[in-house]
Amino acid sequence: MLFHVRMDVNIPKDMPKEEADQIKMTEKAYSQALQQQGKWRHLWRITGQYSNISIFDVDSNEELHNLLQALPLYPYMNIEVMALNRHPSSVRDSDA
């Protein structure tokens, strides 16, 4: 199942820099592991914002929910999820 996910990050301004840097480092390692596994298919930064647009390829809504909740930055995110389905006019034979 493919999902379009927008993540807007809002780290509190009063969070110590060292703590924020540690969370970001852990987040990067986790997100790269999911990308290597093929679950986090695409990751794009939104210009001028601390936000991203991502495409996830997972087996279920619950799997996506669990992956997102495990993000170290999850407590500081607003997340929007849209399930994706193949469009009948697509000229592509697969989602690869």
Side-chain angles (χ1 to χ4, degrees):
M1 298 176 72
L2 294 177
F3 293 90
H4 169 281
V5 180
R6 179 183 173 136
M7 297 178 232
D8 299 311
V9 182
N10 301 296
I11 296 176
K13 295 191 186 308
D14 60 349
M15 179 182 285
K17 181 182 182 323
E18 298 78 21
E19 182 180 350
D21 288 347
Q22 180 61 46
I23 293 170
K24 291 176 196 177
M25 188 171 67
T26 306
E27 176 95 5
K28 182 177 182 177
Y30 178 66
S31 70
Q32 289 179 341
L34 291 175
Q35 290 173 68
Q36 293 295 329
Q37 295 169 27
K39 298 203 176 280
W40 197 325
R41 269 246 205 121
H42 298 281
L43 173 59
W44 293 280
R45 176 181 290 166
I46 300 174
T47 303
Q49 300 178 35
Y50 194 176
S51 303
N52 73 71
I53 298 292
S54 296
I55 302 296
F56 283 82
D57 187 359
V58 294
D59 293 331
S60 68
N61 294 336
E62 183 176 5
E63 181 181 12
L64 178 63
H65 180 77
N66 292 336
L67 293 176
L68 294 175
Q69 279 197 317
L71 289 166
L73 286 170
Y74 179 81
Y76 313 106
M77 289 182 174
N78 294 322
I79 299 175
E80 295 178 16
V81 176
M82 290 183 274
L84 301 175
N85 295 289
R86 175 162 296 287
H87 194 285
S89 296
S90 176
V91 296
R92 306 277 181 252
D93 291 333
S94 75
D95 297 318

